[in-house]
Each structure stands twice: as C-alpha cells, then as structure tokens.
Amino acid sequence: MSPAKIWISYYTMLRKEFVRMVRIWSQTLLPPVVTTGLYFIVFGSFIGSQLQAIHGFSYMQFIVPGLIMMSVITSSYMNTVSTFYFAKWQRNLDEVLVSPTPDWVVIAGYVSGGVMRGLLVGTLVLIVSLFFTHLIIYNIAVLLCAVVLTSVMFSLAGLVNGIFAKGFDGISIVPTFVLTPLTYLGGIFYSIDQFPPFWRAVSLFNPILYIVNAFRYGFLGFSDVSIATSFTLLIGITLVLAVTALVLFKRGTGFKN
Amino acid sequence: MTNAVSIKNLRKTYKTGVEALKGVDLEIAEGDFFALLGPNGAGKSTIISILTSLTTKSSGEVKIFGNSLDTDRDKTKTYIGVVPQEFNFNIFEKVIDIITVQAGYYGIPRAQAIKDAEPILKELGLWEKKDSPSQQLSGGMKRRLMIARALIHKPKLLILDEPTAGVDIEMRRGMWDFLRRMNAEGTTIILTTHYLEEAEELCRTVAIINKGEVKLHETMHKLLEANGKEKLENIYVDIIQDSNNKTI
Ligand SMILES: Nc1ncnc2c1ncn2[C@@H]1O[C@H](COP(=O)(O)OP(=O)(O)O)[C@@H](O)[C@H]1O
Ligand SMILES: [Mg+2]
C-alpha cells in the first residue's frame, strides 16, 4: 500500500473510533469522570482536609495527578481490549484483515483509539479537579510525555489482552485482578516515603508506581523514584508490548485459523 | 493469459486435527463464472478463507492473478472482494458507514466512497436503508449489504460463499441478474451454493469437492453434454455418493 493509502486506512480507523466514543459518551467518557469526581470529594475534600501536607502540597493536590493517571490507564486499556475483542467476536475484524492494510497499521489504529479515549478522559478528569484545587504545572514536557507514553503502553497492553481473550471473562480478568490492584497500590493515594522499609521495597516492583510518579513530577516537581528510571521503564515496556502485538498479528494468534 | 486463481496441491489441517483440504488443485480463468460445489464440510469455505488470507494454509501454492499469497499477499488482497458465509459486520454500525469504512481499509477516501457507494446501494436496493443500523435489515438485505461491501473497491475477483442461503426466490433472481451483469462487465466470480439449479443457471465452470478433494472440474456445458443433458443435481449426487462409497 502506498503511504497515502495507509494514511487513509489509519484515519478511517481513527474516525470510526472517535465517532463511536462520542456516540456512546455515557459509557466511554462519563463513568471515569464520575468515579474520580467521587474520589476528589471523599478522599480529597473530606478525608484529605484532615491529613498533613505531603512535600508541602495539600493531600488534594497530591492525589490529582495519580487520579488522572488512573483514569488514563483504565480508559486506554479498556478501550482496546473491548473494541478488539468485540471485533473478533462479531467477526467484523475480518473487514480489515481481508484488506491490504498492513498489520502495523491495524495495531496503530487500535492503539490510537485507546490513546484518544485515555487522553480525552484524562483531560476531563483534570477539568473536574479544578473544582477542588488550583492547577500547578512544574514541567509540562515531562507531564505530556508521561501521559502519552502511558496511554500508548496501556492501549497496547489492552490489545494484547484482547488478542488472547477467548471469552468475555477473558477481557475482565486482567483489569480486575492485575490492573486495579496495581493501580490502587501504585502510589496514587500516598507517597511511599511514608511506608515502612519492607513495603517500600515491595512497592518498587510495581511499574505503575513509576508511571504515577513521573506524571506527578510534571505537576508538582517531586517524585518518590528517579524520573529517568520511570521513562526507561515506560519506553521499555511499550517497545516490548509493540513487538509482542506485531508477532501475534503475524501469527494470527487468536483470530486466524 | 494468467488465471484469476491458481491453486496447487493446497492442504489445510486445522489445529483440531481436522484435515479440511487434502491437496486441492484448481485453475480458474479470468472472466469465468465458477461454481464451487460440495456437501457441508467439504472444504469450500476453507478454500475461500485461504484465498482471502483469513486462514493460513498448511502447504501448497496459491496465486491470484499471478501474485503469490506467500510473496505478494497485499497485492492479492486488492484484487479480491469477498462475501462470507456468515454475517460479519458490526450490527450497531449504519449501512453507509460499514461500506465507507471498508473502502477506507483499501485506501479509498470517505468522500469518494460515498460517491461510489450510491450506484451500488441503489442497484442492490439498499439506498433507502443507508442510514439504518445494519441490525435493522432483513436477512436478504444483510446478504446484499455484504455484497455491496465486497464491491466498494471494484475488485476483479468476487467470491461469494452461499450468498443466496435463506434468500427468497424473487430476491434470489434479482441477485442472479446482478451477478450476471457484474460478470458480463468483466468481474471473475466464484460462487458456492447448495442450490444446484442456481449453479446450472449462472456458472460456466463447475468444480465438485468432497472431503477436501476435488472430484470433478469441468465446464458446465461439457458436463451436462457428457451426461446426456441430465440435470446437474443428478450428476452431483452420483459423484458425491460415488466418492463416499470409495472412502468407506
Ligand atoms: N475453524 C475451524 N477449526 C476446525 N475445523 C474447522 C474449522 N473450520 C472448518 N473446519 C472443518 O473443516 C472442514 C471443512 O469445513 P468448511 O470449509 O467450512 O466446509 P464447507 O464450507 O464446504 O461446508 C469441516 O470438517 C469443518 O468441520
Ligand atoms: Mg461453508
């Protein structure tokens, strides 16, 4: 396919996903906004007002970056895992598979759909947070790189999950039993400096901790871990997932006989 | 002239161990109207699925207009339009969106696709339904939607897997006229069907396969001639029964 045609095919996938996302906004965009809004009220306002400042920031200011990141992670992942699995289940995935669109473009299309949803939801959550606290931005470049890389990474992870999934339970097992616990224990609600040494060490094995901290650094200018480590991890995992997705597509795992 | 389809010693064993194709050879000339016949489970859909890259072959060689599936897969895909046996569109999408998105996958811009879709949808009687979600269409309309979708990139080879299954007689005749015109305009057509009078009516060449092997490959004219102008149905039943007896 010529580059111009590849672009048209990619744009087709993106447009289709955008239209779908907006058409069913009450399922795609609203729920994370409501959930995080509740977190802001309960943890930020009610409980947070009784907590001491962390690194000189109010508890509300501390949790905003983590809660944005949580919604970006969940929305990106859920978008690709569900759209890909649904296309596979309903077999309309065949529409793109019989076309000359190369595998990497199909992957890019699905991942971009997840990124689109993740960033849109993240922005909405950020806007909601402004009702509770004012915006502080320490380093916009770090912030943007962290959020874009994160949504790419989790969109890819969702796609890989969708490729392997054999039933509707297969698309909810990982989010429920892996993603949610890692996210809640990923330093959104606390600084690991507050932890005893043992739990501090355990937390360092959680990749989401690094992601949340890199993002929080972009807002507040401090992090529990080194930013360089965070970005190395983000880029490393993203590359591994991208190669995995390409190999699975080439083999047709889960969708070709 | 290179053939539209050239299949040599094609084999397919599914992961379940089922040997669906046991060395199939088929040559389909450009411009032909070709009937692929055989009982359920013969391997017709498997052949089509391999031609359209939805299933990977176990071994053998396949060429589409001279382009090998192994070395020029993307090229082969641009030549083929396929109407699968099972409905495989998104039931929540509108008719026009299903068509334009399919066009997009072939690199055709949306505005162009909307223009191209109009005559196709009108001819297939779907123009009034273009803004309806596909789940609201009747069974026959869903089939025709898949035909429209297969034609949007103007393929040289149209493959239809049981396109008239569950379609009423009047609509089936309409589809026949449509396919005849497509063929007259130069599109090579491969059709599978269980209605043998349909194959007899439409097709110039016929292949009968059973249990993954080609049992007969002949022009319709010669086949009917050689059997004293007997009906295709009787010839078919003889061949299938004969090959079943041999393998038992
Ligand atoms: N995805 C699959 N996995 C395992 N076996 C299959 C699959 N698809 C078809 N088969 C088997 O392959 C054989 C040929 O099937 P198929 O090509 O669908 O036949 P036809 O289209 O002629 O009815 C059958 O025995 C069928 O059960
Ligand atoms: Mg079949």
Side-chain angles (χ1 to χ4, degrees), chain A residues 53-193:
Chain A
I54 302 175
H55 291 264
F57 293 100
S58 73
Y59 188 64
M60 177 66 99
Q61 284 169 331
F62 180 83
I63 62 171
V64 165
L67 285 175
I68 294 175
M69 216 37 146
M70 179 162 92
S71 57
V72 170
I73 289 173
T74 315
S75 300
S76 302
Y77 192 97
M78 289 316 291
N79 200 69
T80 45
V81 75
S82 57
T83 52
F84 188 83
Y85 181 73
F86 193 65
K88 190 167 96 168
W89 177 74
Q90 200 171 225
R91 303 258 295 268
N92 60 312
L93 183 64
D94 291 357
E95 292 175 341
V96 73
L97 295 181
V98 300
S99 84
T101 301
D103 290 348
W104 66 268
V105 180
V106 181
I107 294 170
Y110 274 98
V111 169
S112 303
V115 171
M116 203 158 57
R117 165 124 159 240
L119 296 184
L120 208 55
V121 167
T123 309
L124 291 173
V125 171
L126 176 71
I127 292 170
V128 171
S129 78
L130 297 179
F131 290 99
F132 300 91
T133 179
H134 60 277
L135 183 63
I136 308 167
I137 292 180
Y138 176 77
N139 185 330
I140 188 125
V142 168
L143 186 159
L144 288 178
C145 287
V147 73
V148 170
L149 270 170
T150 302
S151 59
V152 171
M153 174 178 147
F154 283 94
S155 298
L156 275 165
L159 180 63
V160 170
N161 185 171
I163 291 173
F164 281 116
K166 289 204 169 70
F168 279 96
D169 50 345
I171 67 174
S172 64
I173 286 174
V174 178
T176 311
F177 295 105
V178 181
L179 208 54
T180 308
L182 284 182
T183 313
Y184 278 79
L185 301 174
I188 293 173
F189 298 105
Y190 46 78
S191 163
I192 57 166
D193 287 350

Side-chain angles (χ1 to χ4, degrees), chain A residues 257, chain B residues 14-21 38-47 55 85 161-162 192 194 209 212:
Chain A
N257 293 309
Chain B
Y14 283 105
K15 274 175 228 132
T16 52
V18 174
E19 212 182 339
L21 301 176
N40 286 322
K44 304 179 297 294
S45 296
T46 301
I47 293 178
T55 292
Q85 187 175 346
D161 200 350
E162 300 190 26
T192 81
H194 289 295
I209 65 171

Side-chain angles (χ1 to χ4, degrees), chain B residues 38-91:
Chain B
N40 286 322
K44 304 179 297 294
S45 296
T46 301
I47 293 178
I48 291 173
S49 196
I50 291 172
L51 293 179
T52 52
S53 296
L54 291 176
T55 292
T56 46
K57 59 188 164 67
S58 302
S59 67
E61 201 190 342
V62 177
K63 283 185 179 167
I64 311 289
F65 293 104
N67 299 282
S68 163
L69 269 189
D70 300 317
T71 53
D72 286 309
R73 184 176 292 275
D74 285 359
K75 198 110 185 255
T76 69
K77 287 175 167 181
T78 61
Y79 291 130
I80 303 176
V82 64
V83 180
Q85 187 175 346
E86 316 278 349
F87 298 132
N88 71 339
F89 43 78
N90 188 332
I91 56 169

Side-chain angles (χ1 to χ4, degrees), chain B residues 102-128:
Chain B
Q102 183 69 71
Y105 295 153
Y106 288 93
I108 301 164
R110 186 176 158 81
Q112 176 73 43
I114 291 175
K115 251 187 254 162
D116 293 350
E118 188 174 338
I120 299 174
L121 289 176
K122 280 187 172 156
E123 182 134 29
L124 287 165
L126 290 169
W127 184 243
E128 278 70 41

Side-chain angles (χ1 to χ4, degrees), chain B residues 10 20 37 99 109 133 146 164 166-167 183 197 206 210 222 245 247:
Chain B
L10 183 62
L37 307 178
I99 311 272
M146 295 205 295
T164 51
V167 173
N183 183 244
E197 78 282 3
V206 54
N210 192 23
K222 276 192 194 148
N245 290 339
T247 46

